[in-house]
Amino acid sequence: MSISHIEHIGIAVKNLDDTIKYYEQILGLKCYNIEEVKDQKVKTAFFKVGQTKIELLESTDPEGPIGKFLEKKGEGIHHIAFAVKGIEDQLQQSEGKGVQLIDKTPRKGAEGLDIAFLHPKSTFGVLTEFCEDKNQ
Ligand code: ZN
């Protein structure tokens, strides 16, 4: 496995604007990107903390993955994303070791990254994302 760092932490929120205010005015971080990922039915806002990002996720559809998460669990940490090299190989290796994959092949996430999720049933309760920046 070749993980270099935590790329981001995904946090599900009810209201992006209210939450951005907290991160900016209380924590003093700067939101540098807001992006809608139609595919995932979310609007995202990004903050940098060193090499790691905070990704706020607001649902655009109650039937989408974040909509359902908020309904079931409320606001809070939704997933952790590791930066990997060779995402296809990492997925194959994980599956080979018995991990259940949500995405068998990577798809496009926010910021043009290739992303794929591992099922929390196989990762001790933490929805785990692999991501790779192939433009780097
Ligand atoms: Zn993510």
Side-chain angles (χ1 to χ4, degrees):
M1 185 63 60
S2 113
I3 291 173
S4 56
H5 60 283
I6 294 173
E7 215 284 333
H8 63 269
I9 295 167
I11 300 173
V13 305
K14 286 186 192 148
N15 183 301
L16 210 54
D17 293 333
D18 290 350
T19 316
I20 288 170
K21 269 187 208 145
Y22 162 74
Y23 280 85
E24 291 198 327
Q25 293 172 12
I26 311 292
L27 300 186
L29 300 170
K30 180 93 194 89
C31 176
Y32 69 91
N33 185 26
I34 293 180
E35 187 179 338
E36 188 169 344
V37 185
K38 289 229 161 78
D39 196 54
Q40 285 281 83
K41 302 183 166 67
V42 288
K43 223 168 104 187
T44 62
F46 285 93
F47 302 81
K48 274 199 181 97
V49 186
Q51 205 181 356
T52 301
K53 297 161 191 161
I54 301 285
E55 176 187 47
L56 302 180
L57 302 151
E58 179 192 79
S59 177
T60 56
D61 179 343
E63 290 306 310
I66 295 302
K68 285 185 182 157
F69 179 89
L70 286 168
E71 169 82 37
K72 242 167 69 182
K73 300 199 171 166
E75 292 181 299
I77 293 181
H78 176 258
H79 66 274
I80 183 162
F82 295 110
V84 301
K85 285 264 176 303
I87 189 168
E88 291 87 356
D89 286 350
Q90 305 300 343
L91 286 172
Q92 237 180 23
Q93 278 180 36
S94 303
E95 194 175 33
K97 289 174 182 167
V99 173
Q100 190 185 332
L101 305 181
I102 293 175
D103 303 296
K104 296 217 175 230
T105 52
R107 54 193 160 88
K108 282 287 169 206
E111 304 195 301
L113 299 177
D114 288 313
I115 66 160
F117 285 94
L118 310 184
H119 201 286
K121 274 184 189 153
S122 296
T123 59
F124 300 87
V126 178
L127 176 60
T128 300
E129 177 181 350
F130 287 163
C131 50
E132 183 169 25
D133 187 354
K134 293 202 167 150
N135 306 310
Q136 257 183 1

